[in-house]
Amino acid sequence: MDIQKKSVAEIRKGVEAEETVAKEKKGNADAIQKDCEYELSKVMPIYNAAIRAVQQLKKDDITELKNFAKPPPAAIIVVQTLCMMFGVAGKKVGTGKDATIDYWEPGKKQVLTSDLLKRCTQFDKDNISQETVSILRPVIESPEYDEKVLKNASQAAFGLAKWVRAMVQYDDAMKVVKPKQAELKEAKDTAAAAQADWDVA
């Protein structure tokens, strides 16, 4: 009888241990999920605001930007960043020390098109090349890219710059979130396996 009691006690102890492990694994998965949600909660409002800014623009706004006879520097720099986002190469102008890269003319032809706003809203934000982000970062952090300066340049430049900046910020956030999402998947799988072991026990 004592042996039987001892056996039952050992089984109960084993089951309780399994339950504790299962709860710990689930708690770990829940904590990682909260981390993911927190990181996304910081960037998604920025991203959504940028999409709204683009959606509020009209084709006439893009046409106005495109038709500047003498575009302000802020408009030029926004078109430059759009070219970078959409993989449009700048055109070399001048020779030797006077050589510069012009993005305005290629940008007018290949970026400031009737479908630009649609291209922005449908942009694959989860697969921006890191090379693009690296060359964009110093540009969007420059004084010419300041929101007040852009607003004075044109409504289209302001809205489109907001979108470009948000894409970079989203990419920065996802560098934190993606490893956490992978960690979360692993934690959930482990928790599910522990729960299954406990259920069997």
Side-chain angles (χ1 to χ4, degrees):
M1 193 72 174
D2 288 343
I3 294 171
Q4 191 176 358
K5 280 184 182 177
K6 190 176 180 182
S7 178
V8 169
E10 283 176 356
I11 290 170
R12 185 181 292 120
K13 192 175 180 181
V15 168
E16 287 171 353
E18 291 285 355
E19 182 182 4
T20 301
V21 169
K23 283 180 179 176
E24 282 176 1
K25 299 290 185 188
K26 186 179 183 305
N28 185 40
D30 290 346
I32 296 169
Q33 183 157 353
K34 280 183 182 175
D35 280 350
C36 289
E37 288 168 357
Y38 173 70
E39 292 298 333
L40 285 172
S41 74
K42 289 193 293 185
V43 74
M44 288 314 292
I46 297 168
Y47 171 76
N48 291 331
I51 292 297
R52 281 196 300 275
V54 167
Q55 289 172 337
Q56 285 165 8
L57 294 174
K58 300 176 180 66
K59 286 183 181 178
D60 289 348
D61 295 320
I62 305 302
T63 303
E64 181 191 18
L65 179 60
K66 187 176 183 177
N67 289 341
F68 272 131
K70 194 173 180 183
I76 293 172
I77 200 169
V78 169
V79 170
Q80 176 185 339
T81 56
L82 288 168
C83 285
M84 292 170 175
M85 287 295 287
F86 291 110
V88 174
K91 185 180 177 183
K92 190 177 178 182
V93 178
T95 56
K97 289 180 180 178
D98 296 325
T100 56
I101 303 296
D102 172 46
Y103 285 95
W104 183 255
E105 288 304 320
K108 282 204 302 182
K109 291 174 186 173
Q110 299 179 60
V111 178
L112 300 180
T113 55
S114 59
D115 65 343
L116 173 59
L117 302 178
K118 184 179 177 182
R119 288 173 73 190
C120 287
T121 55
Q122 294 181 352
F123 189 80
D124 186 2
K125 65 185 184 300
D126 290 304
N127 289 294
I128 307 172
S129 84
Q130 292 314 296
E131 184 183 357
T132 299
V133 172
S134 296
I135 59 174
L136 274 171
R137 197 179 301 283
V139 182
I140 67 173
E141 289 173 357
S142 66
E144 294 91 341
Y145 223 81
D146 181 80
E147 286 198 346
K148 288 179 184 175
V149 176
L150 293 165
K151 208 168 223 179
N152 289 332
S154 88
Q155 188 62 33
F158 174 73
L160 292 165
K162 200 169 186 176
W163 176 79
V164 173
R165 192 183 285 108
M167 293 304 106
V168 174
Q169 290 171 321
Y170 178 84
D171 185 76
D172 286 343
M174 291 311 288
K175 284 187 180 79
V176 177
V177 172
K178 280 180 180 176
K180 286 184 181 295
Q181 286 176 332
E183 192 182 349
L184 175 61
K185 184 182 182 305
E186 188 178 340
K188 280 186 173 178
D189 290 347
T190 306
Q195 181 68 40
D197 287 344
W198 177 51
D199 289 343
V200 169

